[in-house]
Every structure is written in structure tokens, then in C-alpha cells.
Amino acid sequence: MAEAFLQILLENITSFIQGKLGLLLGFENDFEIISSRFSTIQAVLEDAQEKQLKDKAIKNWLQKLNAAAYKVDDLLDECKYEVARLKQSRLKRYHPKTIAFRHKIGKRIKEMMEKLDTIAKERMDFHLHEKIIERQVARPETGSVLTEPEICGRDKEEEEIVKILINDVGNAQELSVLPIVGMGGLGKTTLAQMVFNDQRVTEHFHPKIWICVSDDFDEKRLIKTIIGNIERSCLAVEDLASFQKKLQELLNGKRYLLVLDDVWNEDQDKWDNLKAVLKVGASGASVLTTTRLEKEIVKKSGGVPLAAKTLGGLLRFKREEREWEHVRDSEIWNLPQDERSIMPALRLSYHHLPLDLRQCFAYCAVFPKDTEMEKEKLISLWMAHGFLLSKGNMELEDVGDEVWKELYLRSSFQEIEVRYGKTYFKMHDLIHDLATSLFSANTSSSNIREINYTHMMMSIGFSEVVSSYSPSLLQKFVSLRVLNLSYSKFEKLTSSIGDVVHLRYLDLSGSNMCSLPKQLCKLQNLQTLDLHNCLSLCCLPKETSKLGSLRNLLLDGCDKLTSMPPRIGSLTCLKTLGQFVVGRKKGYQLGELGSLNLYGSIEIRHLERVKNDEDAKEANLYAKGNLHSLSIIWNYPHRYESEEVKVLEALKPHSNLTCLRIYGFRGTHLPEWMNHSVLKNIVSIVIDDCRNCLCLPPFGDLPCLESLELCWGSADVEYVEEVDIDVHSTRIRFPSLRKLVICAFRNLKGLVKKEGGEQFPVLEEMEILCCPILTLSSNLRALTSLTISYNEKATSFPEEMFKNLANLKYLKISEFKNLKELPTSLASLNALKSLQFEYCDALESIPEEGVKGLTSLSELTLLNCMMLKCLPEGLQCLTALTRLEIWGSPQVFKRCEKGIGEDWHKIAHIPTLHIRNNHTTLNYSKNQLYHFSQKLGPGEYVEELDIDVHSGFPARIRRKLVIWDFGNVKGLLKNGGGAFPCA
């Protein structure tokens, strides 16, 4: 890793010298000499990196070099800090503190130069060779136009492919897929271009489409590109289903040729999904692909999928045959026996990483195996350690995002998942082993740069885990870049925090502090201050605006904050601000957001303190294209109700927004910007406690909306969608909506006012709470999960309630206090797997006709249905039913006793039964019955019998035991024994 960090250090030294900062202290010549020493050493580092695997002396030399580089970095950092202080001083370089600083640093620089001379001389003993590291770049996009003026030696292959396409598969009923395979540089794309432009092919196929796939085999992107290639236009909607439908319309019955150039895709499901859409063409429709193959390099992977995948990630960036040969012939394959197997392939993937990726990859070792990492946090940590190289005018966060994506393409990361706008991922155990070996081989505990109180991080190299926090901790580790004290129990941060001048990343999340020391504001290098979930935090230091390098101020969950520190708008580097609490005085108001280029998400609270829309306009939300999530909250009491509509109108967001939440708004109508023009990319909307709004915006127009939550609405709202729909309209309403939650709309009658056109085509999950007169009349054919809760009035459901829910798999009905009967249309739920009734106090029976149709039902739950008299006979016919759970139904409890209960014959075939009444539980399994007849409430053990310690428990075949609501139970058995062998 030394070569990676050295590259960054040399850039920092060059920047320091060119900025004339060294002149202020008189160290410019010294740093130029240090830079020259490092440059001399740098040329042989690539060779040393490979040879250290066999030569321990070289490995030790690299460790010394690495330690020296870190110490020089500290010196450089301290000089920058002193220069920043000097610029604020009138005495400049003649200040007494500056004179003392120059003397101290000058002595350390001299010692450092002597060490570097020794290290530079030692390298001569190893006979290392100079190697140049070439930065591999992604392949440029290809097109169908043949750019080569004259092609030689490919006529035969062209003729063969044209013959196959026109003659051999010309009448084939199935879609034909013909691959052109070979390593990079063999001319696969050129050959495909020759075929594509052949006159015979042009006359035979219509349409012809050329798509450059490269590294991103994304079905939605590819289909959209194919449509644009055919129509030269864009769809108004952005959901995958609409794209699939449109493409099939364009290709249906046509003999087309689709060329997919440079395909790198290891996911068969992705290819199958695309092929299924393409199968609508006429006989002879064909797909021609070009793709690369590892040849004999694949054999070296030993048939291990991870090794092959990692090698693929490496080779996708190698364009020339000589580069592939270099990988094949690397000495790393010839490591000693104990280091063979998959590791050589993984080590090769590291040694062929560009310099700016190596240290970023190895750093991931500080997280324990199988840890779910957050991409945005990892990038901030890379920045804190100085691992990211600046690129022109790009923000460092964007540079980090590029690095992360390239590591992902090289198969370093897996299990990628996006939740609430943040990306989470893991590393394979063996990839983690590689990172650990690299990190520990190149770092030393003598220069700790990261401390973690939490046990979720590893103690490795320059990172250390501590079991307790104390002020002396900061005095011991002076080179800290990262200090993680998250969820520690201390209530006060020591004022000596201001002396840790190198600190870039401070995580105090989840702590019990009420305030922070003002000395914190001395940390001129601090980039990230993480305070999320500091539930007791009331205020931030007034001089927070002096943290000139601050990029991330994470305040999510700090609900006791009464206001922001003054002039937070002067933090021009700030990118992430989890929360902004509006104040009443100048310097604390909403206009402070105006100059900030914010990323990610923000919650704006106490909007009742905004006096007029001019204040709101100063926030300039419309210009913040990097914000993806916005929460707008009014707290009580409201002071300017008449202005709230204007204020919300002035808070119009950028069209890039994907998540929006509005809470506590008291205006009579929501803003005009809530339309498909501004919210064209919105994925999630929550409208909560806006109880004066007389109607809802046309949410059905929003093309990307996947989740909609509507809570505590006005009594005037009768439908979610009030728009009059033309019955002949082809426009789809709610085209992408997958989840719908509606709570406390007491006069809501239905989802749409007028049926017509296609509605809710992909709606899968719906929750309805406290909506006493709402009925479901729409055809919700895609719905798989439905929860209906909290209704004090209804005694029954409409008979047609369940008729249009053919694909429903999960149904839960709870808190219907007066529900007495269920409709027989329950029988139409043929796909239903799970049915739950909870706290339906008045429910007396489940209809026989309704039960018979539940042929897929596997789980039935009846909780606290106190008036339920018996179970339906139809349960005997439900052969898929594997689990029945009944609690709090006294009459049914008695009827379910094994062998003697009146309902026993109805349930005897069910493998798992849990039937409980007060403190008595009947638990049945397919092969064994056991009966807890004791009163478990006042008892102390599940089994109070004195049993022989060598005997088994009657329920020895049980694998799962659930204990619930037994406050006095101390343990399972009063007297041990060989119980629960299978539990």
C-alpha cells in the first residue's frame, strides 16, 4: 500500500510548495528535498510490492517506508495548520508561537530527511526494477459506423456470420443469439460492424439496432436505449414495465437484428429477463453479441467462481493482448503451497489496481467480516485519511463515488442494497482476507491514525479499538485522523479535543451529551462531525461556523436541538446537513441554507418560525440538485397559519428529488409544484398531519412514485385520486406505485373517484388504518399484501371486497372491534398464503364458503377474537395449511383439545398448532403433543417437575420454543437434564 499513499503524499507536498505556503515558515526547500527522495523510491515500489510476498526483508523495508510517509504527512499537516493560524495573526511569521513552532518542526524535518536517506540507500540492496503504472480507463462507447478505412483478414468470418443470420436461422421460430467471442484487441467490434453494415443484412432485417453495453448490463437502461434507437424519441414514463411493453410493441412480428457490443454480464437472470422481452419478433429475428473470454487464464482460477469473477473484474480493464499475457505469467501464481488456492487470483486483482484504488480497497479491512458497510460513510472515511486524489473541479465525494463504483466493477463488493437513499454492501470473506493481509503488511501500530470505541471495527494496522474512553486517550494518539466514539456512555467531551489538530472525522453518534465544548471549533481540518441520534443534544457551539473544512454535519435524530448555531451558511464546504432547525433571529433563519450545495437528505424543522415566503425563497431549495430527500416539518404552536401555503410554495425543490415528506402543514391546499413536472423523479412521498388540506394533488401522474403514505388527513378528502379519468384513456394512473399506506382519513370512500383506464398496475402492498368507510373497488391485480386496521364502526365488509385481489398472498385484519362476519368473497383469494385476524372482538365465525377457496393458505392466525365460537369445517380441505395459531378465543380453545375437542378433527392434519388461552397453552407438532397445564403466570419455570438428569424432555423433537408474556418465569427447567436436544 506504500506506493498508493506515496502518490497522494507527493501530490500534497507539490500543492503545498506551489501554493507558496512553505515560504511563510521557511521549509520550502526542505519539502522539495523530501519530495525528491520519495520520487526516487517511488519508481521501484511496484516491483517491491510483488517481491515482498517472498522476501521478508523487502516487506520490512516497505513497512519502514510506509511509517516514514505517514510521519511526513503529519509534518505537512501541522505546517498547513500553522499557516492557517498565521493568516489570522498580525505578527505573521514573527509571532513567538510561530518561532517556537519553526524550531520544533525544523528539528523533526531534519530527522526525517536522515531516515529517508537511509531508506533510499537500503533499496539498492534489493535490486528492484522500475515499473510504470498505467491507469486503466473504461472502454469508450462504440457505434455501428465502420471507422476503419480498410479491413484485412476478416472477410471469411464476415461471410460465415452473414450466412448464419440469413440462411441458417432465417426461419427459426426461437430468437437466435449469436456470440462473437475473443480477448480484447482481436477486432470483435470491427467484425460486428462489418456484418451490421453488410448490404445483405440491411435488406434482410428491419429494424437494425446497435447498442454498446460495456460495463452496465442494466435491463431498464438497455431497453430504453433500444426504444430510443428505433423511435428516436423518449417515453413520458420511466418505469421498467412501461419500457418493456413499449419495446414489445415496436418489435412485435418484425425480423429485427440487435447487436449488443461488449457484453460483460455474469448474471444469467438479467440476460434471461431481457431475452424474454425480445422474443416477440418474427421468425429469424436475431441478436448478435460481442464478448471477451479469458482463455487459459480461466484455468488458473481453479474453477472457483469467486476467483473467476475477480479475474473477470480485472481483465475487463485490460485492452491489449500483452496485458493479458502479463496477468497469465505473473509470479504471484507461483507462491508457496500454503498461500495457493484462490489467494493468488485475488492478489493479482489487487496488484493490477490503479494506484488511487489500492489504499481505498485495503482500508475496508478495518471493518470486521460480514459487516454491512455504508457507501457514503466509507467515502467520508477515505477522505479523512487522504486516500482520494483530487480530479480537476470534481468534488471529493464524487471522486470517492467513482472509486467505489470501479471497485464494485472489479468484484470487490457484493450484496449491494439501496435503502432510504443510501447504499449498503458487504465484502466476500476471502476478499476481506486479502484486504486484511495487505493492510497489516504495510502499516504499523506506532502511528495510530484511527481509534474506534465501538467493537464493530477491527484493530488493525493504523486503526485501533479501545474498550473505554478517557481524556488521556487523545494525548496518547497525536496523529489521529478518525475518532469513533459512537454509542459510548460518556456525557461530556473533553476540551482537549481541540488539540487533535489532524482530526478529520469525529463520530459521537448515539452519545448522551447535552452540549459540545467550544474547543471543538479549533479543528480546522475536521470534515465530518457525526452526531446522529444524540437524543440529549440541545445545542451546538456558537463558533461552529469556524470549522472551515466541515463537509458533513450529521444531525439526524437530534430532536432536542432548539436551533442551529449562527451563520452556518458560511460553511461553504458543507455537503451533508442532516437537519436544520429554523431560528427566529438573523443568522439562524432559513436563508442560511441558500449558499450551501447540499447533498443527500435534509430535515427542516420549526417552519412555523418562518414569517413569510421571502424567507423561504432565500433557502434556494430549487437550485439544490444534489438533494435526494427532503422533510419539511411544522411544529406547534402555529403562529403564521395564513402564510403557510406561500411558505410551502416557496420551498419548491429541484426536480432531482426522490423522497419528500411534509408534516404538520396547516394550509388548505398543497403547493402547485407537486406535479409530474417538478416531481418527475420522486420515488417516495409522505404527507402526514396535514389535516386542513381539502384535496390531494394528482399523485397518479407521477411516473416514478413507488411509495405513498397519507396520514391524518382532512375530513373533506373522499378519494386519493380526485381526477376525472376518461374511460377511453390509455394513460396509466400510479404506473410505478408499489406501496400505499392510508391512515386516519375518516371520510375516505375509495382510491379513485372515477374508474377508467389502467390504474395501480404494480401495486403490491397496501395498509389501511382508521379509514372507516373506505372500500376497495379498483382492480388491484398485482396486490400481494393487504393490512386493514383500526375500525370501531364496521360490522361487516362489502361482499365484493376481495373479488379483485386475485394475487393477494398476505391478508391481515386487526382492531375491528365490531366486525361480526366476513364476506364469502374471501373464497376468491386463491393465492392467499397467510391470513391473520387480530383483536376482532365481535367476530363470531369464519364463513364456510369463504374458507373453501383458500387452497394456497399455509398460515392462519386468530389473536384475541374473543367471541369466535368455532372453526369452520372447511379447514379440513386446506391441505396446504401447515400452521395454525389461536390466542385469546376461549370457546375455540376448549374445542381444540386433542382427540376430545369438537373441532379437533378439523385441525388434526395441520403440522404445527399453537393454541393458547390465558396461562394455558396447547402446543402440537406433527409427531408429538405436549400440554402445559400449569399456571405459567405465577410459576417460575416452563417445566417445574423434578426430572432425572439423564432423561429426555417429552417434547424432545421440538426445534423451536416461543415464550411470551410470562413475567415471572426464570428459566426453562427447574431441574436440568438432557432436555431440548433439537431446540
Side-chain angles (χ1 to χ4, degrees), residues 42-48 50-51 128-134 326:
Q42 186 187 31
V44 299
L45 282 182
E46 188 66 18
D47 191 32
E50 288 192 21
K51 289 181 177 177
L128 300 172
H129 302 289
E130 294 187 7
K131 288 187 177 181
I132 299 173
I133 311 300
E134 297 179 1
H326 178 67

Side-chain angles (χ1 to χ4, degrees), residues 237 239 241-243 245-246 249 699-702 721 723-737 751-752 754-763 778-782:
V237 293
D239 62 290
S242 298
F243 282 141
K245 183 177 180 182
K246 180 64 176 179
E249 290 175 359
F699 292 124
D701 288 339
L702 305 181
E721 179 70 274
V723 178
D724 285 331
I725 304 170
D726 183 352
V727 294
H728 301 294
S729 172
T730 58
R731 189 167 187 177
I732 303 173
R733 312 297 297 172
F734 300 95
S736 302
L737 194 68
L751 300 182
V752 292
K754 186 177 181 182
E755 298 285 342
E758 191 171 359
Q759 303 160 355
F760 306 103
V762 296
L763 184 63
S778 302
N779 183 10
L780 305 175
R781 64 179 184 275

Side-chain angles (χ1 to χ4, degrees), residues 919-933:
H919 299 301
T920 304
T921 303
L922 301 177
N923 288 277
Y924 307 111
S925 70
K926 192 168 186 178
N927 302 313
Q928 184 78 43
L929 162 70
Y930 58 99
H931 180 194
F932 293 154
S933 58

Side-chain angles (χ1 to χ4, degrees), residues 38-294:
F38 277 133
S39 297
T40 302
I41 296 170
Q42 186 187 31
V44 299
L45 282 182
E46 188 66 18
D47 191 32
Q49 189 70 37
E50 288 192 21
K51 289 181 177 177
Q52 67 161 327
L53 298 171
K54 292 182 177 180
D55 193 327
K56 190 166 277 188
I58 294 179
K59 184 176 182 179
N60 293 336
W61 177 77
L62 283 172
Q63 286 183 340
K64 285 194 285 185
L65 174 63
N66 219 51
Y70 279 126
K71 287 180 179 177
V72 170
D73 191 45
D74 280 354
L75 286 171
L76 188 64
D77 207 48
E78 289 173 46
C79 288
K80 289 179 181 178
Y81 187 89
E82 183 63 17
V83 168
R85 194 187 66 78
L86 272 178
K87 289 182 177 180
Q88 299 174 358
S89 169
R90 287 180 296 174
L91 296 176
K92 302 294 181 186
R93 62 190 298 176
Y94 302 108
H95 193 286
K97 286 186 177 180
T98 304
I99 294 172
F101 173 83
R102 289 168 59 194
H103 177 73
K104 181 183 71 172
I105 293 294
K107 185 177 179 182
R108 288 168 58 191
I109 287 178
K110 184 178 179 181
E111 293 173 355
M112 201 67 250
M113 291 169 70
E114 291 174 355
K115 283 187 178 180
L116 283 176
D117 283 341
T118 303
I119 292 171
K121 289 176 183 176
E122 285 180 355
R123 89 184 193 283
M124 306 298 294
D125 300 332
F126 302 127
H127 307 291
L128 300 172
H129 302 289
E130 294 187 7
K131 288 187 177 181
I132 299 173
I133 311 300
E134 297 179 1
R135 179 68 165 96
Q136 301 294 337
V137 295
R139 185 185 179 193
E141 186 172 357
T142 62
S144 61
V145 177
L146 194 59
T147 55
E148 296 291 333
E150 185 176 351
I151 309 297
C152 299
R154 288 286 179 252
D155 295 342
K156 181 180 179 182
E157 288 89 344
E158 178 191 0
E159 190 66 28
E160 288 179 3
I161 295 173
V162 170
K163 180 176 177 293
I164 291 172
L165 289 173
I166 295 178
N167 299 332
D168 296 0
V169 301
N171 296 314
Q173 298 300 313
E174 287 291 319
L175 177 67
S176 300
V177 181
L178 182 65
I180 301 176
V181 180
M183 68 167 62
L186 289 184
K188 301 182 300 298
T189 296
T190 302
L191 179 57
Q193 290 170 336
M194 292 169 65
V195 172
F196 190 84
N197 291 286
D198 190 287
Q199 184 63 32
R200 293 164 293 174
V201 170
T202 302
E203 292 173 356
H204 186 76
F205 293 100
H206 182 76
K208 293 191 306 174
I209 310 116
W210 179 285
I211 303 295
C212 180
V213 180
S214 194
D215 301 321
D216 184 17
F217 195 97
D218 178 75
E219 182 187 0
K220 183 176 175 181
R221 180 189 74 84
L222 289 175
I223 293 178
K224 182 179 180 180
T225 306
I226 295 170
I227 293 172
N229 199 301
I230 298 173
E231 274 203 333
R232 308 295 176 189
S233 63
C234 297
L235 286 178
V237 293
E238 290 286 329
D239 62 290
L240 177 60
S242 298
F243 282 141
Q244 291 172 331
K245 183 177 180 182
K246 180 64 176 179
L247 180 59
Q248 289 193 321
E249 290 175 359
L250 293 173
L251 297 181
N252 188 36
K254 295 182 179 178
R255 186 166 60 200
Y256 64 85
L257 173 64
L258 171 63
V259 176
L260 298 176
D261 185 42
D262 196 20
V263 176
W264 271 90
N265 174 43
E266 296 159 345
D267 190 334
Q268 186 64 35
D269 290 339
K270 286 185 177 181
W271 173 242
D272 290 340
N273 291 341
L274 178 61
K275 197 160 66 171
V277 178
L278 297 172
K279 285 183 176 180
V280 296
S283 298
S286 300
V287 177
L288 182 66
T289 71
T290 71
T291 187
R292 280 163 279 175
L293 182 68
E294 295 88 342

Side-chain angles (χ1 to χ4, degrees), residues 748-853:
L748 196 70
K749 296 178 180 178
L751 300 182
V752 292
K753 185 174 184 179
K754 186 177 181 182
E755 298 285 342
E758 191 171 359
Q759 303 160 355
F760 306 103
V762 296
L763 184 63
E764 297 174 348
E765 181 181 351
M766 182 155 58
E767 296 181 33
I768 301 171
L769 303 88
C770 298
C771 298
I773 64 173
L774 175 64
T775 59
L776 301 177
S777 56
S778 302
N779 183 10
L780 305 175
R781 64 179 184 275
L783 197 68
T784 59
S785 177
L786 174 62
T787 298
I788 311 174
S789 302
Y790 300 102
N791 191 317
E792 299 285 344
K793 297 179 181 179
T795 59
S796 64
F797 288 118
E799 179 55 41
E800 69 279 2
M801 179 78 168
F802 302 114
K803 283 187 176 179
N804 295 320
L805 306 177
N807 290 305
L808 196 67
K809 295 180 180 178
Y810 308 96
L811 174 61
K812 179 179 178 179
I813 300 172
S814 67
E815 299 287 350
F816 272 66
K817 299 296 184 181
N818 291 302
L819 183 67
K820 293 184 177 180
E821 58 183 2
L822 298 169
T824 56
S825 62
L826 196 68
S828 62
L829 303 179
N830 306 124
L832 197 67
K833 293 182 178 294
S834 175
L835 177 60
Q836 298 181 49
F837 295 97
E838 297 183 3
Y839 297 96
C840 297
D841 297 348
L843 186 64
E844 296 180 353
S845 64
I846 301 173
E848 290 289 348
E849 291 301 315
V851 168
K852 290 179 180 178

